[in-house]
Amino acid sequence: MSVHVLEAPAPEAELRPGGRCRLCGAGLEHTFVDLGMSPLCESILTPGQLDAMEPYFPLHALVCETCFLVQLREYVSPQQIFGEYAYFSSYSTSWVAHAKAYCAMIKERLDLGPDSLVIELASNDGYLLQHFLPLGVPVLGIEPAANVARVAIDKGIATQVDFFGTALADALVAKGRRADLIVGNNVLAQVPDLNDFVAGMARLLAPEGVITLEFPHLEHLMAENQFDTIYHEHFSYFSLITIEHLAGRHGLKLIDVDELATHGGSLRVYLAHVGSPRPTTVRVADLLARERRSGLCDLATYGSFAEQVKRTKRKLLAFLIAAKEAGKTICGYGAPGKGNTLLNYCGIGTDFLEFTVDRNPYKHGRFTPGMHIPIHPVGAIDARRPDYVLILPWNLKDEIVQQMRHVADWGGRFIVPIPSVAIIDPKEMQS
Ligand SMILES: [Zn+2]
């Protein structure tokens, strides 16, 4: 089964209109952006489901005036999202390379060896932990999606199928397991109970251990119109200011931060116990200061984002309408979660995109939620020879343009929708 079992939001959620901040508990009153009603973006449909009713939930992001966490209410439980998950990290070549480089770097930096333990939270199909095996560093993956964890286990990566929080952390500590390194890549956004999750990390971390977390940086989301990275499965959107607040609540301190190009601009933060002798680099203070200068401690900054999003939608639609009026054919590339926010919010269905393609065979023969665009194997683009290929996972555009540059053979070009409509002609790249 690939599609979540859907239920209405819990009744108690309906009793509190704005809800409370999942980090600090303050009442939420301020809209960040309201993307209207949208289906769950990982709920790709089988042909048999096309005639059934499809649940839509509000995609309305709010910002907390106290800790500045941008967040969605929880309309779907992680159990529903991760019971059977369709996202396999290893399908992205560049992401696996990124993970490999990280493993080599962090092994040196923390002097990890055969007596160390690396624990990754949301270890997916072992895309990252696999690189520690040849380095001789023991690992443990924690992954809630059984079908994805199975792939890691088959590669020889010890993986426990479970959700992470204080309960699991205590159980591991009781068995004598403490982590010298805890890795959490693109998981923090998907944690409904942030405080339980971070408290669990603090309990599981060895006294001199280090936590590294990667997540898309809210500063980039705002500066580059990445509104399509907002979807129901992503509950939270972080600045470093918010992370510092979160760490402080759980006896952790920021010791370093890297700015990464992944996922449209991410942060990798390094945390340690407050009492750890590890010093904090100047990069932390510098980035905190930059965020303050960018207005990330000012509600008015957040309030201006919504208009920017509407402008981005109008520009993309204007381009697609003009292309269709000129008789052009358009197909999609990719069926990522973010693509479904974009397609649903902009109302881009099969009237614009004949189909989309994906490298993940799990999605083939299925349909995108809401817009019901068919998902084919990548070869379908070669058969159709479209004038334009709309790249939905725009964060991977360089990789995709390289892989698909032969669309130039029939005069095809790429459309990149975010931060604003851009056309890439692979012919020009070859020159
Ligand atoms: Zn808050």
Side-chain angles (χ1 to χ4, degrees):
M1 189 200 76
S2 67
V3 175
H4 325 309
V5 178
L6 299 166
E7 292 165 7
E12 63 269 26
E14 289 173 320
L15 296 177
R16 29 186 189 91
R20 295 206 165 272
C21 173
R22 69 168 50 83
L23 198 170
C24 76
L28 294 172
E29 295 171 23
H30 305 281
T31 290
F32 178 59
V33 66
D34 187 350
L35 299 170
M37 297 292 287
S38 202
L40 299 178
C41 74
E42 300 287 359
S43 299
I44 58 171
L45 306 174
T46 61
Q49 290 170 310
L50 291 180
D51 287 335
M53 287 209 303
E54 199 174 354
Y56 277 58
F57 300 96
L59 197 50
H60 184 181
L62 299 147
V63 57
C64 173
E65 65 182 26
T66 304
C67 72
F68 299 103
L69 180 68
V70 170
Q71 56 200 291
L72 295 175
R73 278 169 55 190
E74 183 188 344
Y75 290 100
V76 55
S77 74
Q79 282 77 5
Q80 289 170 336
I81 297 173
F82 294 109
E84 181 88 3
Y85 199 44
Y87 186 76
F88 293 82
S89 299
S90 295
Y91 284 113
S92 167
T93 313
S94 58
W95 183 239
V96 172
H98 170 79
K100 185 177 183 182
Y102 163 83
C103 293
M105 177 280 291
I106 201 77
K107 177 190 181 284
E108 286 300 309
R109 179 163 170 167
L110 301 183
D111 196 21
L112 300 171
D115 298 326
S116 309
L117 176 61
V118 175
I119 296 184
E120 186 183 14
L121 310 179
S123 52
N124 200 272
D125 58 8
Y127 75 99
L128 184 140
L129 290 179
Q130 64 185 349
H131 301 299
F132 280 115
L133 300 183
L135 300 175
V137 180
V139 300
L140 173 65
I142 310 287
E143 168 55 48
N147 64 321
V148 179
R150 207 173 304 125
V151 176
I153 292 165
D154 289 346
K155 287 187 217 168
I157 299 158
T159 305
Q160 187 164 340
V161 178
D162 211 337
F163 286 93
F164 184 75
T166 49
L168 180 57
D170 289 345
L172 289 167
V173 171
K175 285 192 224 162
R177 312 208 77 177
R178 301 269 313 271
D180 301 287
L181 170 65
I182 298 177
V183 185
N185 287 347
N186 297 310
V187 59
L188 211 53
Q190 302 183 345
V191 173
D193 190 343
L194 265 185
N195 287 301
D196 185 66
F197 190 86
V198 177
M201 288 197 292
R203 292 188 199 179
L204 185 59
L205 189 66
E208 295 305 321
V210 169
I211 299 166
T212 73
L213 304 170
E214 292 183 24
F215 49 86
H217 190 188
L218 180 63
E219 185 187 63
H220 282 271
L221 188 161
M222 294 170 70
E224 289 152 41
N225 290 324
Q226 298 166 357
F227 67 88
D228 60 340
T229 61
I230 298 173
Y231 45 88
H232 295 108
E233 291 86 340
H234 283 176
F235 305 125
S236 308
Y237 305 82
F238 299 93
S239 62
L240 191 64
I241 290 166
T242 302
I243 292 290
E244 186 183 42
H245 192 105
L246 179 59
R249 287 173 77 93
H250 298 285
L252 298 169
K253 64 177 181 181
L254 272 168
I255 55 170
D256 202 359
V257 59
D258 295 328
E259 294 193 70
L260 310 170
T262 48
H263 293 279
S266 294
L267 295 182
R268 177 192 292 143
V269 297
Y270 299 72
L271 306 173
H273 289 292
V274 164
S276 156
R278 294 181 188 275
T280 295
T281 68
V282 69
R283 283 194 289 271
V284 172
D286 285 351
L287 185 52
L288 288 171
R290 190 181 88 203
E291 286 189 351
R292 284 194 197 95
R293 283 197 304 274
S294 306
L296 294 184
C297 286
D298 180 357
L299 274 179
T301 309
Y302 296 88
S304 64
F305 183 67
E307 189 50 46
Q308 202 178 312
V309 170
K310 291 177 204 162
R311 241 179 355 250
T312 306
K313 169 178 177 169
R314 291 194 297 267
K315 282 185 189 160
L316 176 59
L317 283 175
F319 178 86
L320 294 177
I321 290 167
K324 292 307 288 182
E325 290 291 345
K328 304 293 186 191
T329 49
I330 313 172
C331 298
Y333 187 102
K338 64 164 72 74
N340 293 320
T341 292
L342 182 88
L343 298 174
N344 282 297
Y345 172 65
C346 295
I348 299 168
T350 50
D351 42 358
F352 290 107
L353 294 191
E354 295 183 13
F355 58 84
T356 190
V357 299
D358 201 277
R359 291 176 82 187
N360 183 349
Y362 194 92
K363 300 185 180 179
H364 298 160
R366 298 174 193 253
F367 296 82
T368 67
M371 289 294 124
H372 297 185
I373 294 170
I375 307 170
H376 295 323
V378 175
I381 287 187
D382 298 44
R384 184 66 180 94
R385 299 162 71 97
D387 296 304
Y388 290 107
V389 176
L390 175 65
I391 298 179
L392 294 169
W394 44 259
N395 54 304
L396 304 176
K397 69 174 190 295
D398 294 342
E399 178 179 341
I400 292 165
V401 169
Q402 278 306 323
Q403 282 166 6
M404 300 297 296
R405 58 193 308 159
H406 61 276
V407 305
D409 296 350
W410 62 81
R413 289 184 286 173
F414 298 97
I415 308 168
V416 183
I418 302 289
S420 60
V421 182
I423 305 305
I424 297 177
D425 188 339
K427 270 207 192 85
E428 289 166 13
M429 293 179 52
Q430 283 162 350
S431 59

